[in-house]
Amino acid sequence: MKKIIVVLVCCLLLGSGIRAAEQELPVSSPSGRLELVVKVDQGVAWTLYYDQEVVSSSPGMEIELEEYGVLGQQVRLKTIQLQNHQNLVNSPFYKKDEIEEVYNELRLDFRGNYSVVFRVYDQGMAYRFETNLKGEVKVMSETLAFDFPKADKAWVPYIRESIYRYQASHESPYTVQSLEEMYADSLVILPFLVEQKSGVKVVITEADLEDYPGFFLKVNAARNGFVGELSPYPLEEEPGGHNNLQSIVTRYADYLAVTSGKRSYPWRVFAVSGNDAELLNNDLVYLLAAPSRIADTSWIKPGKVAWDWWNDWNISGVDFEAGINTETYKHYIDFAAEYGIEYVILDEGWSESTDLLKIVPEIDLPAIIDHAQAKGVDIVLWAGWAPLRKQMDEVFATYSAMGVKGYKIDFMNRDDQPVVNFYYEAAQKAAEYKQFVDFHGAYKPTGLHRTYPNVLTYEGVFGLEQVKWTEYTDFPTYDVTAPFIRMLAGPMDYTPGAMRNANRFNWRAIHSNPVSQGTRCHQLAMYVVFESPFSMLADKPTAYQREAESTAFVAAIPTVFDATVALDAKLGEYLLMARQKDDNWYLGGMTNWDGRDLKVDFSFLPEGQFEAEIFRDGINAYREATDYVREVVRVDRNTQMDIHMASGGGWAAIVRPLSQER
């Protein structure tokens, strides 16, 4: 990692530790827009301001250790350090190739060999505990309390699988409610957005979650804020869930974790913005994660993948019976090769569900891999996490030797300490075999994709698969909401690419021949808007071959970028983004069920003349959602272009230097 580091340190020593009179310790963001005031008295409290307006506050923070008591209670302050940092961080496999990291840090060292560290960026604030204790410790509880006295409403993703309190897929639409309307004691998954009466937005999440459980939120008793609840440590588990692929916890301990006494705990993150578009380009989770532990990342290849499961293997016009068999996957490979798609995935069904080393008779995996390699395509395998956990070394060794490049690991549906540790173990083991990972049935990203860059993407999103069975009829609104909230945490494997599209009145759930909500151009724009270095093409090869124009456009869009610019956006209504890779720019716009007119300002372009290949909603797209128009026009940095997006619509463009041959 390349860094330019500037550190200015102001240190105040307070002897062996004193319980002084109440102290207020201010620290501002580099621009001064955000100000954090930390109050140290009997405990540690804080208040966060944005443009001098109170955004959030915490009456106290505590971690209870069985061996050492409650850290953060009856504190004795030893040292105060204020540091200014400026780093340049390389960020491969991301939405930009480098990030200028600038923040001010307040470090409070307390008697008892622990510290609380606060960092204030222009994009938000984060804090965490650090301990320097001997041996192992048992974490009994952590107090997380965040007040929002000026909150207007919240975008709430409740846990949907309520039968298990802490066991869920983290795939939920957003319910927009005031704090008064929120359901008491119902757990809310992260990331989670609160809007102030002034319109300022705050997204709460966590970063650098390692060897520790994740946390949920629930509205507090006063309904002016939230309290955290963490997944307890599992004591007993049994097989269950889909095809017995999950490991269901049947008994929990009365503690959260057993961990090292010398460690840094996860960051509690508050992204803050008065401009909705800024949330689309927030880097806090990535920056707060531990740096890469893979020295050589040259073997990691992001790209797109032809996916089988969503389209239910429903290819046609072939002379063999389609399904989970060798001939079908050779057909997917031929399609991928035709359009320059890097990968084909074999989803659930290629092996016995509970034994990944037993390939079903219909699959000749060596023949499939040989055919793929001859065509310049690579193979990825699906794996249920519970069997993989038992067979990890054998699975990775066996299939890496055959040429498999990565795994889609599914159905964890938990974020307790052992499952969090599984993520790190799987990422590390896969890296040893030069393989990558896509986590499905996953909790939100917390920066593991920086620590282990072979973790290319995560699910944890109410994605396109839901149209196969749900009664939810507002995907376009979700599609222009999740990028401000869920995507702020990291890449999301939404799995776009439907070639069968419908308006809100004609759509219905069809499991075997699914149809998306919104227009064709809404789907195309997702390949620009949705971050995922490993990006699925959800529909069947037959559909893509019939829609060659749309498919060629999608295939030309990269999955990682050199720069990102959020052009215009309003949470839950619309967004318009531009991303750069090499000399080309890629633009994507999406709207909710409201048709919308916007202006595209091309001033982000460098000097010179460019050609824009544009896909826009056709005049009848509001009723026939597959209707679109492709056109090629000249633009430069002075161009202002009026665009229209139909109900549930979208707009997408690839902008190339005029001299570049295609």
Side-chain angles (χ1 to χ4, degrees), residues 299 343 380 405-407 434-438 454 456 534:
W299 55 270
Y343 297 99
V380 178
K405 299 302 182 182
Y407 304 94
K434 291 185 166 49
Q435 295 177 307
F436 68 81
V437 172
D438 168 9
N454 63 321
L456 291 183
F534 182 64

Side-chain angles (χ1 to χ4, degrees), residues 268-546:
R268 282 60 184 97
V269 182
F270 301 80
V272 185
S273 181
N275 178 346
D276 289 5
E278 290 178 354
L279 295 175
L280 299 173
N281 200 14
N282 188 291
D283 301 307
L284 282 181
V285 171
Y286 189 93
L287 291 173
L288 290 163
S292 175
R293 296 174 187 170
I294 302 177
D296 174 19
T297 60
S298 61
W299 55 270
I300 302 172
K301 305 295 184 186
K304 297 190 185 70
V305 54
W307 187 27
D308 50 1
W309 179 87
W310 189 82
N311 55 77
D312 203 21
W313 300 267
N314 274 325
I315 57 177
S316 58
V318 295
D319 59 0
F320 57 86
E321 186 173 343
I324 301 174
N325 58 53
T326 300
E327 287 304 312
T328 297
Y329 284 110
K330 286 183 176 181
H331 183 81
Y332 278 81
I333 290 163
D334 292 344
F335 156 71
E338 180 183 358
Y339 285 94
I341 306 302
E342 292 86 349
Y343 297 99
V344 167
I345 188 169
L346 278 64
D347 211 287
E348 184 181 7
W350 67 272
S351 74
E352 292 188 7
S353 63
T354 56
D355 190 341
L356 297 169
L357 295 172
K358 292 184 178 179
I359 301 172
V360 300
E362 296 81 6
I363 293 293
D364 184 343
L365 189 57
I368 290 171
I369 294 171
D370 287 347
H371 186 74
Q373 291 177 343
K375 295 278 188 171
V377 176
D378 284 312
I379 295 298
V380 178
L381 299 177
W382 177 95
W385 90 280
L388 180 62
R389 178 173 57 167
K390 299 174 183 177
Q391 304 173 299
M392 194 179 301
D393 281 307
E394 301 97 316
V395 168
F396 287 175
T398 298
Y399 295 121
S400 66
M402 292 174 64
V404 170
K405 299 302 182 182
Y407 304 94
K408 173 183 172 182
I409 304 174
D410 208 348
F411 287 113
M412 287 75 72
N413 287 29
R414 290 163 39 194
D415 65 354
D416 49 60
Q417 185 192 22
V419 172
V420 170
N421 289 348
F422 167 81
Y423 278 62
Y424 280 80
E425 182 183 3
Q428 179 184 344
K429 289 282 187 184
E432 291 174 8
Y433 292 98
K434 291 185 166 49
Q435 295 177 307
F436 68 81
V437 172
D438 168 9
F439 285 117
H440 267 239
Y443 60 80
K444 76 280 178 189
T446 60
L448 183 60
H449 52 292
R450 179 184 180 188
T451 309
Y452 286 97
N454 63 321
V455 176
L456 291 183
T457 192
Y458 315 70
E459 193 180 23
V461 63
F462 194 74
L464 192 69
E465 70 176 25
Q466 302 287 337
V467 302
K468 289 168 71 74
W469 53 71
T470 188
E471 296 181 0
Y472 182 75
T473 58
D474 205 357
F475 275 88
T477 296
Y478 181 85
D479 299 340
V480 294
T481 302
F484 300 86
I485 306 173
R486 161 58 184 84
M487 199 169 74
L488 183 143
M492 58 184 199
D493 195 7
Y494 181 98
T495 69
M499 293 293 107
R500 293 180 300 285
N501 320 106
N503 64 27
R504 67 189 309 176
F505 306 107
N506 294 338
W507 176 85
R508 63 186 178 92
I510 306 173
H511 191 282
S512 187
N513 276 293
V515 182
S516 75
Q517 296 179 19
T519 70
R520 168 70 55 77
C521 290
H522 189 89
Q523 289 288 308
L524 300 184
M526 290 177 178
Y527 287 94
V528 176
V529 172
F530 292 167
E531 296 164 22
S532 185
F534 182 64
S535 183
M536 303 267 179
L537 275 75
D539 221 322
K540 57 192 175 184
T542 309
Y544 288 123
Q545 289 162 334
R546 289 172 179 166

